[in-house]
Amino acid sequence: MTDQEPTVLERVAELVAQQLSVLGQTYPAWQIRRIIWPDGTPGGWWATRYAELTPAQRAAGLIPSIARRDAIGLMMELAVQDEIAHQNGYATGDVRAASL
């Protein structure tokens, strides 16, 4: 039996899984997904907060969800959201079971 090299699609799927894992660990307050269109092509990245935002948090500039074309763009916007939260005294850690 010979070992076969992974296909390009398998390698891409592995890289996407790694990106999702890193983003999820770095930003645990967000559910992060890769958008896949009905035809199977990748369509970008989507992050949604686990906790609902209060009116005061929205007024401070926090947003409930973010969509970007690539993982780097999503990561940059998530970092901006964390900075806004820190500047306004809101927690940014794992808030799946708690509120911001």
Side-chain angles (χ1 to χ4, degrees):
M1 181 176 228
T2 61
D3 290 327
Q4 292 184 359
E5 288 290 318
T7 66
V8 171
L9 290 177
E10 290 169 334
R11 288 181 183 173
V12 168
E14 183 179 322
L15 289 172
V16 168
Q18 289 173 357
Q19 288 174 314
L20 283 169
S21 176
V22 168
L23 285 168
Q25 290 171 16
T26 306
Y27 301 100
W30 297 82
Q31 178 185 20
I32 300 171
R33 298 179 303 267
R34 180 71 196 260
I35 299 167
I36 303 296
W37 297 119
D39 67 0
T41 58
W45 294 79
W46 187 268
T48 305
R49 289 186 189 275
Y50 283 106
E52 286 193 38
L53 296 172
T54 65
Q57 290 166 332
R58 286 177 181 259
L62 297 177
I63 56 177
S65 61
I66 301 167
R68 292 293 179 269
R69 291 182 184 266
D70 56 44
I72 293 172
L74 181 65
M75 181 186 66
M76 289 171 45
E77 187 60 34
L78 291 169
V80 167
Q81 285 291 294
D82 270 5
E83 183 60 28
I84 293 169
H86 283 298
Q87 288 176 357
N88 289 280
Y90 299 120
T92 58
D94 191 346
V95 293
R96 287 174 248 197
S99 63
L100 282 174

